[in-house]
PDB file of all heavy atoms in Angstrom:
ATOM      1  N   GLN D 143     -11.039   2.016  -9.849  1.00  0.00           N
ATOM      2  CA  GLN D 143     -10.912   0.787 -10.747  1.00  0.00           C
ATOM      3  C   GLN D 143     -10.197  -0.323  -9.958  1.00  0.00           C
ATOM      4  O   GLN D 143     -10.620  -1.512 -10.109  1.00  0.00           O
ATOM      5  CB  GLN D 143     -10.033   1.186 -11.907  1.00  0.00           C
ATOM      6  CG  GLN D 143     -10.720   1.663 -13.129  1.00  0.00           C
ATOM      7  CD  GLN D 143      -9.727   2.054 -14.263  1.00  0.00           C
ATOM      8  OE1 GLN D 143      -8.695   1.428 -14.454  1.00  0.00           O
ATOM      9  NE2 GLN D 143      -9.958   3.205 -14.922  1.00  0.00           N
ATOM     10  N   MET D 144      -9.174   0.065  -9.208  1.00  0.00           N
ATOM     11  CA  MET D 144      -8.434  -0.980  -8.517  1.00  0.00           C
ATOM     12  C   MET D 144      -9.387  -1.645  -7.474  1.00  0.00           C
ATOM     13  O   MET D 144      -9.380  -2.869  -7.389  1.00  0.00           O
ATOM     14  CB  MET D 144      -7.286  -0.307  -7.765  1.00  0.00           C
ATOM     15  CG  MET D 144      -6.467  -1.196  -6.813  1.00  0.00           C
ATOM     16  SD  MET D 144      -5.951  -2.773  -7.642  1.00  0.00           S
ATOM     17  CE  MET D 144      -4.184  -2.363  -8.035  1.00  0.00           C
ATOM     18  N   LEU D 145     -10.133  -0.812  -6.794  1.00  0.00           N
ATOM     19  CA  LEU D 145     -11.037  -1.318  -5.804  1.00  0.00           C
ATOM     20  C   LEU D 145     -12.212  -2.303  -6.396  1.00  0.00           C
ATOM     21  O   LEU D 145     -12.414  -3.347  -5.860  1.00  0.00           O
ATOM     22  CB  LEU D 145     -11.734  -0.234  -5.037  1.00  0.00           C
ATOM     23  CG  LEU D 145     -10.773   0.456  -4.009  1.00  0.00           C
ATOM     24  CD1 LEU D 145     -11.429   1.778  -3.510  1.00  0.00           C
ATOM     25  CD2 LEU D 145     -10.275  -0.387  -2.828  1.00  0.00           C
ATOM     26  N   ASP D 146     -12.605  -1.844  -7.553  1.00  0.00           N
ATOM     27  CA  ASP D 146     -13.713  -2.624  -8.209  1.00  0.00           C
ATOM     28  C   ASP D 146     -13.074  -4.001  -8.625  1.00  0.00           C
ATOM     29  O   ASP D 146     -13.636  -5.110  -8.494  1.00  0.00           O
ATOM     30  CB  ASP D 146     -14.073  -1.937  -9.523  1.00  0.00           C
ATOM     31  CG  ASP D 146     -15.112  -0.883  -9.329  1.00  0.00           C
ATOM     32  OD1 ASP D 146     -15.542  -0.772  -8.202  1.00  0.00           O
ATOM     33  OD2 ASP D 146     -15.316  -0.080 -10.181  1.00  0.00           O
ATOM     34  N   TRP D 147     -11.796  -3.935  -9.114  1.00  0.00           N
ATOM     35  CA  TRP D 147     -11.141  -5.197  -9.590  1.00  0.00           C
ATOM     36  C   TRP D 147     -10.932  -6.099  -8.397  1.00  0.00           C
ATOM     37  O   TRP D 147     -11.080  -7.306  -8.488  1.00  0.00           O
ATOM     38  CB  TRP D 147      -9.779  -4.752 -10.277  1.00  0.00           C
ATOM     39  CG  TRP D 147      -9.069  -5.860 -10.866  1.00  0.00           C
ATOM     40  CD1 TRP D 147      -9.218  -6.348 -12.096  1.00  0.00           C
ATOM     41  CD2 TRP D 147      -8.128  -6.734 -10.272  1.00  0.00           C
ATOM     42  NE1 TRP D 147      -8.393  -7.449 -12.282  1.00  0.00           N
ATOM     43  CE2 TRP D 147      -7.680  -7.665 -11.156  1.00  0.00           C
ATOM     44  CE3 TRP D 147      -7.474  -6.682  -8.962  1.00  0.00           C
ATOM     45  CZ2 TRP D 147      -6.795  -8.691 -10.816  1.00  0.00           C
ATOM     46  CZ3 TRP D 147      -6.503  -7.681  -8.703  1.00  0.00           C
ATOM     47  CH2 TRP D 147      -6.178  -8.640  -9.536  1.00  0.00           C
ATOM     48  N   LEU D 148     -10.454  -5.468  -7.323  1.00  0.00           N
ATOM     49  CA  LEU D 148     -10.227  -6.370  -5.992  1.00  0.00           C
ATOM     50  C   LEU D 148     -11.444  -7.031  -5.558  1.00  0.00           C
ATOM     51  O   LEU D 148     -11.498  -8.204  -5.267  1.00  0.00           O
ATOM     52  CB  LEU D 148      -9.577  -5.532  -4.957  1.00  0.00           C
ATOM     53  CG  LEU D 148      -8.193  -5.059  -5.180  1.00  0.00           C
ATOM     54  CD1 LEU D 148      -7.758  -4.007  -4.220  1.00  0.00           C
ATOM     55  CD2 LEU D 148      -7.184  -6.237  -5.115  1.00  0.00           C
ATOM     56  N   ARG D 149     -12.566  -6.228  -5.600  1.00  0.00           N
ATOM     57  CA  ARG D 149     -13.976  -6.791  -5.251  1.00  0.00           C
ATOM     58  C   ARG D 149     -14.357  -7.995  -6.198  1.00  0.00           C
ATOM     59  O   ARG D 149     -14.729  -9.030  -5.824  1.00  0.00           O
ATOM     60  CB  ARG D 149     -14.993  -5.709  -5.250  1.00  0.00           C
ATOM     61  CG  ARG D 149     -14.884  -4.861  -4.078  1.00  0.00           C
ATOM     62  CD  ARG D 149     -16.092  -3.908  -3.932  1.00  0.00           C
ATOM     63  NE  ARG D 149     -15.718  -2.893  -2.945  1.00  0.00           N
ATOM     64  CZ  ARG D 149     -15.411  -1.614  -3.152  1.00  0.00           C
ATOM     65  NH1 ARG D 149     -15.450  -1.109  -4.403  1.00  0.00           N
ATOM     66  NH2 ARG D 149     -15.106  -0.807  -2.249  1.00  0.00           N
ATOM     67  N   ASP D 150     -14.167  -7.683  -7.506  1.00  0.00           N
ATOM     68  CA  ASP D 150     -14.669  -8.604  -8.520  1.00  0.00           C
ATOM     69  C   ASP D 150     -13.820  -9.917  -8.354  1.00  0.00           C
ATOM     70  O   ASP D 150     -14.332 -10.949  -8.567  1.00  0.00           O
ATOM     71  CB  ASP D 150     -14.437  -8.100  -9.969  1.00  0.00           C
ATOM     72  CG  ASP D 150     -15.385  -6.954 -10.338  1.00  0.00           C
ATOM     73  OD1 ASP D 150     -16.368  -6.862  -9.497  1.00  0.00           O
ATOM     74  OD2 ASP D 150     -15.164  -6.317 -11.326  1.00  0.00           O
ATOM     75  N   ASN D 151     -12.600  -9.762  -7.966  1.00  0.00           N
ATOM     76  CA  ASN D 151     -11.718 -10.980  -7.888  1.00  0.00           C
ATOM     77  C   ASN D 151     -11.622 -11.484  -6.445  1.00  0.00           C
ATOM     78  O   ASN D 151     -10.851 -12.442  -6.216  1.00  0.00           O
ATOM     79  CB  ASN D 151     -10.358 -10.646  -8.449  1.00  0.00           C
ATOM     80  CG  ASN D 151     -10.394 -10.493  -9.971  1.00  0.00           C
ATOM     81  OD1 ASN D 151     -10.445 -11.508 -10.684  1.00  0.00           O
ATOM     82  ND2 ASN D 151     -10.267  -9.319 -10.404  1.00  0.00           N
ATOM     83  N   GLU D 152     -12.423 -10.945  -5.585  1.00  0.00           N
ATOM     84  CA  GLU D 152     -12.487 -11.409  -4.168  1.00  0.00           C
ATOM     85  C   GLU D 152     -11.114 -11.424  -3.542  1.00  0.00           C
ATOM     86  O   GLU D 152     -10.739 -12.377  -2.871  1.00  0.00           O
ATOM     87  CB  GLU D 152     -13.238 -12.774  -4.114  1.00  0.00           C
ATOM     88  CG  GLU D 152     -14.635 -12.545  -4.550  1.00  0.00           C
ATOM     89  CD  GLU D 152     -15.434 -13.940  -4.518  1.00  0.00           C
ATOM     90  OE1 GLU D 152     -14.843 -14.968  -4.296  1.00  0.00           O
ATOM     91  OE2 GLU D 152     -16.605 -13.898  -4.783  1.00  0.00           O
ATOM     92  N   VAL D 153     -10.301 -10.412  -3.745  1.00  0.00           N
ATOM     93  CA  VAL D 153      -9.034 -10.283  -3.085  1.00  0.00           C
ATOM     94  C   VAL D 153      -9.227  -9.489  -1.805  1.00  0.00           C
ATOM     95  O   VAL D 153      -9.753  -8.347  -1.885  1.00  0.00           O
ATOM     96  CB  VAL D 153      -7.976  -9.652  -4.026  1.00  0.00           C
ATOM     97  CG1 VAL D 153      -6.685  -9.448  -3.327  1.00  0.00           C
ATOM     98  CG2 VAL D 153      -7.881 -10.398  -5.379  1.00  0.00           C
ATOM     99  N   PRO D 154      -8.914 -10.087  -0.607  1.00  0.00           N
ATOM    100  CA  PRO D 154      -9.054  -9.241   0.606  1.00  0.00           C
ATOM    101  C   PRO D 154      -8.365  -8.008   0.616  1.00  0.00           C
ATOM    102  O   PRO D 154      -7.125  -7.998   0.409  1.00  0.00           O
ATOM    103  CB  PRO D 154      -8.628 -10.283   1.715  1.00  0.00           C
ATOM    104  CG  PRO D 154      -8.102 -11.477   0.989  1.00  0.00           C
ATOM    105  CD  PRO D 154      -8.245 -11.317  -0.445  1.00  0.00           C
TER     106      PRO D 154
END
Side-chain angles (χ1 to χ4, degrees):
Q143 271 176 39
M144 174 56 98
L145 290 170
D146 285 347
W147 185 88
L148 290 167
R149 284 188 191 110
D150 287 349
N151 289 284
E152 297 179 353
V153 180

